[in-house]
Structures are given as C-alpha cells and as structure tokens.
Amino acid sequence: MSKIKIAELFYSIQGEGRYMGVPSVFLRTFGCNFTCGGFGMPRGEMSAERDAIAERMVEFQDYNELPLVSTGCDSYASWDPRFKDLSPMLETNAIVDRIMQILPHRRWEDEHLVVTGGEPLLGWQRAYPDLLDHDSMHGLKEITFETNGTQKLTPEFKEYLQRWRAQREITFSVSAKLPGSGEKWEEAILPEVVCEYEQVGYTYLKLVVATEQDLADAEQAVEEYRTAGFTGPVYVMPVGGVERVYTLNNRAVAEMAMRKGWRYSDRLQVPLFKNEWGT
Ligand code: SF4
C-alpha cells in the first residue's frame, strides 16, 4: 500500500483557474522544490515572514492555527521542513476514507479532485495510481494537478494517466514561477516539461503577476512555451494571499489580461474565505 505525506485534505470551492466555483476536494501533498520567497516583495528581496512563524512553532498544533502571510509562498507549511510534523504520512486507503468523510454525499458526484502542494508531482507520482484505483474513487470524473511545471512525468505515471483519461478528464494547472517569485528563470520555466503534460491532459498556464515587470516576464515566458509547442490557454492571476494585497492588485491584473488577450483567474478563496488554511 502506497503512502503520501498529506499537508492538508479539505473540501472547498475551487477559487482559481478552469474549475473556479466548482466544489472540490483538495489534497495538498507535502514537499516542494521551490521556496518562492519573492512574492509580494521588492525585486531581489526575500520574505522573512515564514522564518518568524517557524520560530514560534511550538505554539502551533494544527494547520488551522498557523498565521497567514502577505509575502512569500502562502502555503509555506506544506513544504518547509520546520513544519513537517503537522503533515502525517498516510496510506492511500486512509486518505480515501477521509475523502469519503468530507464529500457531502459520502461519494463522488459532481465534485472535482485537486491534487496540489507544495509540488504534487515531486515525489508522489508512484502513489497516485493506488489512490485513484481504490473502489471508492471510481465515481471521480475530473482531477486537476496544480503544479509549478518543473517535474517530468515518470513513464509509468504518464502511461497510467493516459489510461485513466480514456473516460475521465485530467487537467494540469501550471503555475510557472516568474522571477517575481524569487526563483531562477532557468529552473522555473521549463517548456518541454509542460508540453509533455499536454500529451496527457488539458493544460494551461496560470501566471501570478503584480507589476508591469511581471507582465513583461509573463510575455517572455509565454513566448518560450509557445516556441516549444505549448498550445494551451494562459491565465494571469493577482498576487495576494491576504485580502489587503489582493484587492490592491486584482483589477489591474484583469486589465492586463484584457490587454494581452489572456484569461483572468481570480483567487475566490481570498474574498470568500480570507485564504485561511483549509479553504
Ligand atoms: S512552487 Fe508553489 S508551493 Fe512551492 S514554494 Fe512556490 S508557491 Fe509555494
């Protein structure tokens, strides 16, 4: 039986991208290859909010007790090793049991599964077939992997997804990290990886932008993806893990999207639920 280290498992409304507004189970896996300390910071500077929270770690027993951050990665506890004890390693059977408990009808109906992170394609590709082949998961018809677009699919997992896709819908929501995240271009913008996702599922780019410089970076990145053969849609999404930052930015980003002919993705979880853990 495979195991997955689970940062969070909750039921909510998908707030972003293609499935915005759809009731969804979120399976947040632990671990990421990035740290994205640059979000919300002046270019070249890194957020120190996460470090300040880690120093108070003894105060927190559960994800819901963790403070929200206005800079850096807003799901920091799903990959920073200092928070790892909040994330249990669970057998896939146990994960399915929990999923059934949080679905409103104790079975899949119109809900969609979001596998997110951290970076969900980093270490757990081997475990997903066990999870998805469980009898109770057969009613699931739509799954999205929310990825940063840097992890190649293993040949085994790619083949598995191609079979799974025959009767169901797979989506890759690729939040490629632009320089405003603090990550290096050559490590974050990997068009050949994302083109491979397109062979397996509906794939789109979802780029977080805040400034005109971010928009220029997004244009360059999209050009590189297109040159490599990527054909999917492009969304831009405002920065802002907290409402104060999000509302400063969202209209300007919608206007950028219209100018470029790209799609706008909201972050509905911010106005609806304040982006609290578990939403
Ligand atoms: S890739 Fe996503 S989860 Fe990983 S550090 Fe960046 S924002 Fe956070």
Side-chain angles (χ1 to χ4, degrees):
M1 179 69 54
S2 303
K3 293 182 177 178
I4 305 176
K5 193 167 173 64
I6 297 296
E8 290 188 289
L9 179 57
F10 59 92
Y11 177 62
S12 188
I13 295 287
Q14 171 60 290
E16 305 174 1
R18 179 188 190 188
Y19 285 95
M20 198 168 69
V22 175
S24 304
V25 171
F26 289 79
L27 177 66
R28 188 186 300 287
T29 61
F30 187 86
C32 189
N33 53 321
F34 287 155
T35 60
C36 295
F39 280 131
M41 299 292 293
R43 204 44 85 95
E45 291 181 28
M46 292 293 178
S47 169
E49 278 188 79
R50 177 170 48 89
D51 294 334
I53 296 167
E55 281 176 18
R56 298 165 43 211
M57 189 55 214
V58 287
E59 296 171 32
F60 311 117
Q61 311 301 321
D62 189 89
Y63 268 83
N64 296 325
E65 298 169 6
L66 289 169
L68 303 179
V69 292
S70 55
T71 54
C73 168
D74 61 0
S75 51
Y76 60 89
S78 68
W79 53 265
D80 186 322
R82 292 172 292 186
F83 300 88
K84 70 178 190 317
D85 292 342
L86 298 178
S87 299
M89 183 76 90
L90 296 179
E91 290 193 340
T92 48
N93 270 349
I95 296 169
V96 173
D97 285 349
R98 289 194 187 193
I99 290 174
M100 292 305 127
Q101 284 164 19
I102 59 177
L103 281 169
H105 303 288
R106 307 292 177 258
R107 62 176 182 274
W108 290 104
E109 292 204 341
D110 193 31
E111 302 85 3
H112 141 256
L113 175 64
V114 184
V115 186
T116 187
E119 171 44 53
L121 298 177
L122 186 61
W124 310 112
Q125 294 186 35
R126 249 176 316 163
Y128 297 138
D130 252 3
L131 181 83
L132 297 174
D133 285 342
H134 190 289
D135 285 350
S136 297
M137 297 293 279
H138 289 167
L140 173 66
K141 296 288 184 289
E142 294 165 296
I143 187 170
T144 295
F145 293 94
E146 289 187 335
T147 171
N148 60 28
T150 62
Q151 302 303 306
K152 286 174 77 70
L153 300 175
T154 65
E156 297 77 19
F157 189 47
K158 186 175 175 184
E159 197 186 314
Y160 174 83
L161 289 178
Q162 273 160 340
R163 286 199 307 275
W164 199 87
R165 182 193 199 190
Q167 295 167 340
R168 289 160 285 201
E169 181 78 5
I170 298 171
T171 299
F172 291 90
S173 172
V174 179
S175 185
K177 297 302 175 248
L178 299 172
S181 68
E183 299 300 327
K184 292 195 183 96
W185 187 278
E186 59 276 18
E187 291 170 11
I189 307 300
L190 302 180
E192 70 284 2
V193 171
V194 174
C195 287
E196 192 184 26
Y197 300 163
E198 273 200 308
Q199 297 166 17
V200 180
Y202 179 90
T203 303
Y204 60 86
L205 294 170
K206 189 178 64 183
L207 304 171
V208 175
V209 295
T211 63
E212 291 294 331
Q213 177 62 56
D214 295 335
L215 187 65
D217 292 337
E219 283 174 310
Q220 188 185 336
V222 170
E223 196 178 314
E224 290 191 17
Y225 285 104
R226 293 283 186 238
T227 302
F230 174 72
T231 61
V234 176
Y235 287 78
V236 281
M237 186 168 80
V239 75
V242 294
E243 204 163 14
R244 176 176 47 80
V245 179
Y246 157 86
T247 48
L248 278 178
N249 186 230
N250 56 350
R251 180 169 175 157
V253 173
E255 287 167 355
M256 288 175 190
M258 288 195 295
R259 248 171 36 225
K260 297 302 304 173
W262 292 340
R263 301 181 185 192
Y264 171 76
S265 171
D266 211 287
R267 288 178 178 264
L268 277 185
Q269 66 274 31
V270 179
L272 284 180
F273 304 120
K274 312 295 180 209
N275 205 27
E276 287 163 359
W277 293 96
T279 64

